[in-house]
Amino acid sequence: MENLENFRKETRAWLEANCPPEMRRSSQSEDDTCWGGRHWKFQSDAQRQWLERMAAKGWTVPEWPREYGGGGLSREEAKILRQTMRELNCRSPLDSFGIWMLGPALLKYGNEEQKREHLPKIARGEIRWCQGYSEPGSGSDLASLQTRAEDKGDQFLVNGSKIWTSYADKADWIFCLVRTDPNAPKHEGISFLLFDMESAGVSTKPIILISGSSPFCQTFFDDVLVPKANLVGKLNKGWDIAKYLLTHERDMIGGMGTTSENRSLGQIAADTVGSHNGMLADTALRSQIAAFEIDALAFRLTMDRAGDMAKVGHAHPAVSSLLKYYGTELNKRRMELVMSAGGTDALEWEGERSREGRSARAWLRSKANSIEGGTSEVQLNIIAKRILGLPGA
Amino acid sequence: MALVLNDEQTMLRDNARGFLAKNAPIAHLRALRDNRDADGFSRALWKNFVQMGWAGILVPQDYGGLGLGHVEAGVVMEELGRTLTPSPFLSTAVLAASAIARAGTDQQKENYLPKIVAGELIATLAVDETAKHHPEKIAMTATRAGNGFKLSGAKTFVIDGHVAKLLIVVARTSGKAGDTAGLTLFLVDASAPGVRSERTSTVDTHNAARITFDDVNASADSVLGKIDAGWDVLEGVLNVGRAAVAAEMVGASEEAFSRTVAYLKERKQFGKAIGEFQALQHRAAHLYCELEVTRAAVLKALQTLDDSYDRAGAIVSVAKARAGLSATLAVNEAVQMHGGIGMTDEFDIGLFMKRVRVCQELFGDSNFHADRLARLNRY
């Protein structure tokens, strides 16, 4: 415990000395997020410095082993680092699908060469990754995917199309589920491939969402050649990695329900509906906000408890479905309340007053939370089958 | 603190579960009900609780108790919820013991706590005066008379009030209904002249009473805590009771849920188990999530009472509000998914619905606690 307290002190001192003041202001828009990659243009010197300093310490990926560019921190130390960064309002130095998704998969399933090749570049923000999972014909039924990778000696020949590939137009590499055995049952003919988005035959087309932005793309593969060394895990065993990664993705999306805004819903609503004797004048809205806050706080505790249970060896593998389902439904509820509390102010779509329609766009974007990474209905199926053991689920 | 039970707490849970399954299953509640038992609980069973130390679970070791925390008391409450066992555990071991241990003088502790631990004294808290919980609206008066006070007024839904020998009565020594200042707690002998109690027959066949006080003498020594400043003591005790009842609801709703899931696997219609129908699978899976989320909040509330008693108000309200809602959903879904048989008196599932309805009301329902949380968060 004493060591942890020392670590807390040292971490705080280091962050105070090394985090540039610009990086200690709340981010104003999505553009403030640093994604890294070959073509990344830093928003400021401060953003570059912050990434370089954190990467040098291994703290862009604090829990990864040091030999792969990580910080080698224990779970407790990493928690302290996150807490301290929150307390000092330090921005994340680097966000990426490499950190959240591919990294954990490579650490578990990759060979030594793949780990040494890819993990340090993720940690330093040099290569930006995207995820090739869903296809136009394969949404909830992901395992029905049709993108083919044919064996051509020491290479695979990849043909097909992926959809909802977030930031595919900005990514350098893709991790991709491909069918390597079309005759096997659907879960048993899938492999996990890595390839460069600059390979001949790769093209992308952005998809504009109802929120008006387009982080997503459709991605096309037309006779793309991929070296066989880029196969992760065993041939036709990619579904295991896919499932493992989906768990990570669910945890990530589920956690979005708890992003802390500076102002509480109660405060936002007080501005528009007014207060009477210290209570919101709109009593029905007040009740809804209180009910939401009760569930949101209890959900944060549920996430803590899931972590604590994992630590003592009682984790249930399907618990990520619970967190994903509950967290995303909660976030949607929150955004409905933000819109309700904001009234007509929240309906503005452009202009500085509404920060380019921030509320309305976030509200619309939240609707995807319960679709992406496995719909709410798919999560309920998983809970019914794997936790409750209901028949035929 | 990690949001899991430690080894000792897990052992307490397993022991309690085993003991209650054997000695106080739901048949025990049915026998008390069907025989119209005058006490409404089994004194022999309460003696067993006493022997296991449960009556003194929150009583400091100096007074012969186990000196355990609210998490442990919650563990027992949860198990009592699973078997719907009526007992003076909540009134005596949780509410009264905790009030006296927290606010009592050395003399008061010496007088009462060892008796509670030994099972010689059933005691309870008399707080509510109206059908909905509004502790600040207490109107019952305590007027000065000589060195002491005279108490007049009426209390309702006093848990175990028909058998309690000691009543912890909250009355107004100054101010008016609605003020939190001006309340005082008194330790009143239930056999004192002017105290009249009428047992309440309740939907869940657990125990409560209406008690009237007609110029009841209370000596200066009977004041628990400070005169006019009883609110903080009361809030603390109520928080303990709220978290305990939330834990009871966790037990009752999880038992109702596990019986329901078992039934979904057994019951066949249209040539298959009804649990194969996605309409029921999704509702069951959703309910599972609600119960898990509640469990985390309730455990946190109990831990907070142990770690920072005076700052537990908000999390206790979160726990009580959530437990009320998720337990209500659990018992409603339980009866619906059991279909016709769930409506019969012979089948146990309806008994869970009855108890949860009572627990929802005790010490503030979900709406009360949502309002309380909003006030604490200033909106």
Side-chain angles (χ1 to χ4, degrees):
Chain A
M1 280 322 252
E2 202 182 313
N3 285 343
L4 284 182
E5 278 320 298
N6 281 339
F7 178 80
R8 188 186 296 277
K9 271 187 220 137
E10 286 163 17
T11 300
R12 193 178 186 92
W14 188 89
L15 289 171
E16 278 175 339
N18 288 281
C19 185
E22 299 93 320
M23 295 293 107
R24 289 178 60 178
R25 277 181 225 128
S26 305
S27 45
Q28 295 303 307
S29 74
E30 252 183 64
D31 300 335
D32 289 338
T33 304
C34 176
W35 290 93
R38 285 175 192 147
H39 308 292
W40 182 253
K41 285 195 183 63
F42 287 98
Q43 306 287 310
S44 62
D45 288 344
Q47 192 182 50
R48 177 199 297 273
Q49 266 178 358
W50 181 222
L51 172 60
E52 286 172 356
R53 288 172 185 173
M54 286 291 274
K57 250 185 124 56
W59 284 2
T60 54
V61 283
E63 285 177 79
W64 291 9
R66 298 192 70 94
E67 66 260 43
Y68 306 129
L73 300 190
S74 67
R75 189 167 172 269
E76 286 80 8
E77 289 169 334
K79 197 170 166 186
I80 289 172
L81 172 62
R82 280 195 300 273
Q83 274 172 357
T84 314
M85 286 176 66
R86 250 201 319 274
E87 282 161 21
L88 298 177
N89 206 24
C90 303
R91 282 186 204 167
S92 164
L94 179 65
D95 285 350
S96 83
F97 296 110
I99 293 176
W100 299 323
M101 303 178 71
L102 179 64
L106 280 183
L107 283 168
K108 190 170 164 76
Y109 294 97
N111 61 34
E112 191 57 31
E113 216 177 313
Q114 290 167 338
K115 290 184 203 175
R116 290 196 183 279
E117 169 63 23
H118 297 297
L119 294 176
K121 291 180 187 167
I122 292 171
R124 294 193 298 261
E126 291 168 6
I127 293 293
R128 182 170 179 178
W129 287 84
C130 62
Q131 177 200 40
Y133 270 33
S134 297
E135 296 182 5
S138 303
S140 287
D141 184 11
L142 177 62
S144 70
L145 59 93
Q146 297 294 323
T147 292
R148 284 285 310 276
E150 291 170 78
D151 190 331
K152 297 283 175 190
D154 52 3
Q155 300 187 98
F156 290 109
L157 183 68
V158 179
N159 277 289
S161 170
K162 293 287 175 183
I163 200 164
W164 312 124
T165 10
S166 309
Y167 304 108
D169 51 344
K170 300 187 171 76
D172 306 313
W173 277 64
I174 187 167
F175 51 96
C176 196
L177 293 177
V178 293
R179 186 157 301 284
T180 36
D181 185 352
N183 300 316
K186 64 179 180 180
H187 294 96
E188 290 161 33
I190 294 171
S191 298
F192 194 95
L193 269 191
L194 313 175
F195 54 92
D196 195 320
M197 291 292 279
E198 283 178 3
S199 312
V202 178
S203 59
T204 63
K205 191 180 93 187
I207 303 168
I208 297 174
L209 297 185
I210 51 178
S211 57
S213 65
S214 65
F216 293 113
C217 293
Q218 187 166 356
T219 306
F220 305 90
F221 310 126
D222 187 11
D223 282 340
V224 180
L225 285 168
V226 178
K228 278 199 172 160
N230 291 3
L231 172 73
V232 179
K234 294 206 177 80
L235 190 70
N236 296 326
K237 296 285 176 204
W239 186 247
D240 292 338
I241 310 177
K243 274 193 300 187
Y244 175 75
L245 260 187
L246 281 172
T247 309
H248 268 269
E249 185 180 15
R250 276 171 205 145
D251 292 350
M252 189 176 92
I253 299 171
M256 299 200 320
T258 64
T259 45
S260 56
E261 277 263 337
N262 294 336
R263 302 175 73 230
S264 75
L265 279 171
Q267 289 172 319
I268 297 173
D271 289 350
T272 51
V273 304
S275 290
H276 184 66
N277 291 337
M279 291 191 286
L280 287 180
D282 182 336
T283 53
L285 179 61
R286 177 175 180 267
S287 304
Q288 288 174 5
I289 290 174
F292 169 80
E293 290 203 323
I294 285 166
D295 291 347
L297 180 56
F299 178 68
R300 272 206 293 280
L301 294 167
T302 308
M303 292 203 297
D304 290 349
R305 181 164 173 269
D308 292 337
M309 289 185 70
K311 221 157 98 182
V312 294
H314 290 306
H316 193 289
V319 77
S320 68
S321 290
L322 181 165
L323 299 179
K324 203 276 177 181
Y325 167 65
Y326 213 91
T328 57
E329 294 296 335
L330 209 50
N331 198 39
K332 288 198 298 181
R333 221 170 109 200
R334 179 174 198 283
M335 292 313 304
E336 286 293 333
L337 285 169
V338 167
M339 293 304 284
S340 183
T344 52
D345 286 351
L347 300 175
E348 296 196 22
W349 191 247
E350 286 171 346
E352 239 170 76
R353 189 173 39 230
S354 67
R355 288 191 284 169
E356 304 301 329
R358 190 168 149 123
S359 296
R361 290 170 195 268
W363 162 65
L364 289 163
R365 178 61 182 83
S366 74
K367 301 304 176 192
N369 295 165
S370 53
I371 301 170
E372 59 204 344
T375 60
S376 284
E377 289 71 21
V378 166
Q379 307 313 321
L380 291 173
N381 285 345
I382 293 172
I383 293 165
K385 178 180 180 180
R386 303 209 18 222
I387 299 183
L388 304 182
L390 291 174
Chain B
M1 194 185 294
L3 280 169
V4 287
L5 297 183
N6 65 27
D7 289 347
E8 290 79 17
Q9 292 159 348
T10 305
M11 201 191 297
L12 173 65
R13 181 196 67 192
D14 294 346
N15 289 342
R17 190 172 297 178
F19 175 84
L20 292 169
K22 184 156 172 278
N23 298 286
I26 291 187
H28 174 82
L29 170 72
R30 285 187 178 276
L32 291 167
R33 180 189 75 167
D34 297 345
N35 300 331
R36 295 185 157 272
D37 189 275
D39 289 335
F41 74 100
S42 158
R43 291 192 187 265
L45 185 74
W46 179 236
K47 196 173 265 179
N48 288 325
F49 284 18
V50 168
Q51 281 159 1
M52 292 185 288
W54 293 0
I57 198 162
L58 287 173
V59 174
Q61 290 179 342
D62 289 351
Y63 298 95
L66 295 184
L68 294 173
H70 299 93
V71 172
E72 286 82 1
V75 163
V76 174
M77 285 299 296
E78 182 179 332
E79 296 310 316
L80 292 170
R82 265 177 218 282
T83 47
L84 303 177
T85 308
S87 84
F89 185 79
L90 174 63
S91 61
T92 305
V94 176
L95 296 168
S98 136
I100 296 169
R102 284 256 158 206
T105 61
D106 289 348
Q107 188 61 52
Q108 288 168 336
K109 290 189 216 173
E110 196 57 57
N111 283 351
Y112 298 113
L113 293 179
K115 285 189 185 148
I116 286 178
V117 173
E120 290 160 12
L121 179 67
I122 292 174
T124 191
L125 178 72
V127 54
D128 287 324
E129 298 177 3
T130 52
K132 298 299 280 190
H133 180 66
H134 279 302
E136 77 280 5
K137 291 194 180 162
I138 287 170
M140 177 166 171
T141 55
T143 39
R144 284 193 184 268
N147 281 335
F149 296 85
K150 278 195 183 297
L151 308 185
S152 283
K155 295 290 182 181
T156 188
F157 223 84
V158 179
I159 302 165
D160 297 328
H162 63 311
V163 286
K165 294 228 169 67
L166 177 70
L167 307 171
I168 301 175
V169 182
V170 194
R172 194 162 281 291
T173 34
S174 69
K176 57 180 192 310
D179 297 344
T180 54
L183 293 173
T184 306
L185 280 68
F186 295 90
L187 295 158
V188 178
D189 186 335
S191 61
V195 177
R196 235 168 358 105
S197 105
E198 177 202 338
R199 184 176 175 189
T200 314
S201 151
T202 61
V203 64
D204 62 338
T205 346
H206 280 47
N207 300 302
R210 288 174 188 269
I211 304 184
T212 54
F213 300 81
D214 188 9
D215 272 344
V216 175
N217 283 315
S219 70
D221 293 344
S222 72
V223 171
L224 180 67
K226 296 203 178 85
I227 294 168
D228 282 346
W231 178 254
D232 289 347
V233 175
L234 178 63
E235 272 279 277
V237 177
L238 287 173
N239 282 339
V240 172
R242 288 157 179 159
V245 172
E248 182 179 351
M249 281 194 277
V250 167
S253 53
E254 291 205 347
E255 179 63 23
F257 180 60
S258 80
R259 288 172 184 233
T260 304
V261 171
Y263 189 74
L264 293 178
K265 294 174 188 176
E266 262 166 48
R267 170 73 173 170
K268 291 202 165 56
Q269 288 289 279
F270 305 102
K272 49 181 164 181
I274 58 173
E276 287 185 52
F277 296 111
Q278 205 173 40
L280 296 181
Q281 287 179 348
H282 280 194
R283 277 162 52 190
H286 171 75
L287 177 53
Y288 167 80
C289 296
E290 294 289 0
L291 295 177
E292 282 295 305
V293 172
T294 293
R295 176 175 282 286
V298 172
L299 182 54
K300 184 70 177 183
L302 293 163
Q303 289 182 348
T304 307
L305 284 166
D306 286 332
D307 295 347
S308 30
Y309 187 85
D310 296 327
R311 290 203 305 273
I315 182 62
V316 165
S317 274
V318 168
K320 181 67 168 63
R322 274 228 43 114
L325 291 172
S326 61
T328 299
L329 180 65
V331 295
N332 279 311
E333 288 288 60
V335 168
Q336 177 67 22
M337 290 185 190
H338 277 87
I341 199 171
M343 284 301 296
T344 63
D345 179 69
E346 190 188 349
F347 207 74
D348 286 341
I349 206 75
L351 298 172
F352 289 91
M353 179 177 276
K354 293 175 176 181
R355 180 61 187 157
V356 164
R357 185 85 272 291
V358 172
C359 290
Q360 168 71 300
E361 287 303 321
L362 282 180
F363 312 128
D365 64 8
S366 297
N367 292 337
F368 173 91
H369 287 289
D371 175 73
R372 186 165 178 253
L373 186 77
R375 283 171 200 273
L376 287 169
N377 289 343
R378 298 167 205 284
Y379 63 85

